[in-house]
Amino acid sequence: MSWRTLTYFGDSMLLIPTAVIIALVMPWKNDNRHAVWYWLLAFGLAGITVSLSKIAFMGFGIGSVRFNFTGFSGHSAMSATLWPVILWLLSGRLAPLWRGLALGVGYLIPLLVGFSRLVLNAHSASEVISGLLLGFTLSTAFLVSQRRAQLKGFSIAQLSVALLVPLLLLSQGRIATTQHFLERLSAHIAGLEKPWTRADLLKRP
């Protein structure tokens, strides 16, 4: 598995549709009536926080030269928000050992995504670490809120349907254009001809 394949596990093209599927499945497989709203809040907060941090930098140059920080790593933050939750949901009726292993995989995938972002020079260490901390905080807060929830299991057919869209997206590997959209939005909001870049940040004394 290549680093680009691993990094795709944090791409918005994969994660946003998967988050919607979680929201659709949650009321059906979870007896906590408020779980879907908690989930939408957690995933939404991750996306909004990442976007605002990027707009603050690309539009207004708000970043850190010392830490080479231009905003939270979206791949790291969003994957750390989603994967622990989906593995928890899918393993809800498994034996405790297998459920623990599944949840461990849910926390491992974002770490690999974050590392892939470093290998591909897409982010600095501060951006990846802060993104992972943001996402893990939100996913863990959601899981803690569901500690008394009773989950229903998935049949093979149900599991196949639930994973159909994510597997199709993984096989195609289409990349989201979120970053380009935020660049244009940031420049428009700030009235700039072009957005701030990392090179602009590192030129500061």
Side-chain angles (χ1 to χ4, degrees):
M1 184 177 291
S2 70
W3 292 116
R4 293 195 179 278
T5 301
L6 278 173
T7 211
Y8 193 71
F9 280 82
D11 194 275
S12 295
M13 183 65 76
L14 171 65
L15 297 190
I16 292 177
T18 305
V20 172
I21 291 172
I22 293 175
L24 293 174
V25 170
M26 190 76 72
W28 180 35
K29 293 296 184 179
N30 189 338
D31 69 345
N32 187 326
R33 293 180 300 172
H34 303 296
V36 64
W37 301 113
Y38 293 152
W39 165 242
L40 292 173
L41 177 63
F43 194 77
L45 278 175
I48 290 171
T49 304
V50 168
S51 297
L52 288 177
S53 72
K54 290 179 177 292
I55 291 172
F57 172 71
M58 292 188 291
F60 303 95
I62 300 174
S64 171
V65 177
R66 178 181 179 185
F67 295 105
N68 193 10
F69 183 81
T70 65
F72 295 103
S73 164
H75 282 65
S76 302
M78 304 303 281
S79 63
T81 305
L82 183 137
W83 290 111
V85 174
I86 192 172
L87 268 295
W88 164 82
L89 182 62
L90 294 177
S91 64
R93 299 298 292 178
L94 298 181
L97 174 61
W98 293 108
R99 193 176 188 194
L101 288 173
L103 194 56
V105 171
Y107 278 92
L108 176 62
I109 291 173
L111 293 175
L112 294 175
V113 169
F115 189 68
S116 73
R117 302 305 284 168
L118 296 176
V119 172
L120 296 172
N121 293 315
H123 284 289
S124 66
S126 66
E127 293 162 356
V128 168
I129 292 171
S130 61
L132 289 172
L133 287 174
L134 171 63
F136 282 142
T137 298
L138 291 169
S139 59
T140 302
F142 172 83
L143 294 177
V144 168
S145 77
Q146 302 301 301
R147 62 189 181 280
R148 294 187 178 87
Q150 296 296 317
L151 301 180
K152 299 177 183 178
F154 287 78
S155 67
I156 297 298
Q158 291 170 348
L159 189 62
S160 299
V161 171
L163 295 179
L164 177 61
V165 172
L167 289 175
L168 285 174
L169 290 169
L170 278 170
S171 66
Q172 294 179 358
R174 293 183 60 187
I175 298 174
T177 58
T178 312
Q179 181 68 19
H180 297 299
F181 169 76
L182 288 174
E183 288 175 358
R184 294 193 299 270
L185 178 63
S186 301
H188 176 73
I189 291 173
L192 302 176
E193 291 186 4
K194 63 183 184 67
W196 280 71
T197 65
R198 190 182 303 279
D200 296 326
L201 175 72
L202 297 180
K203 287 178 183 177
R204 291 178 177 175

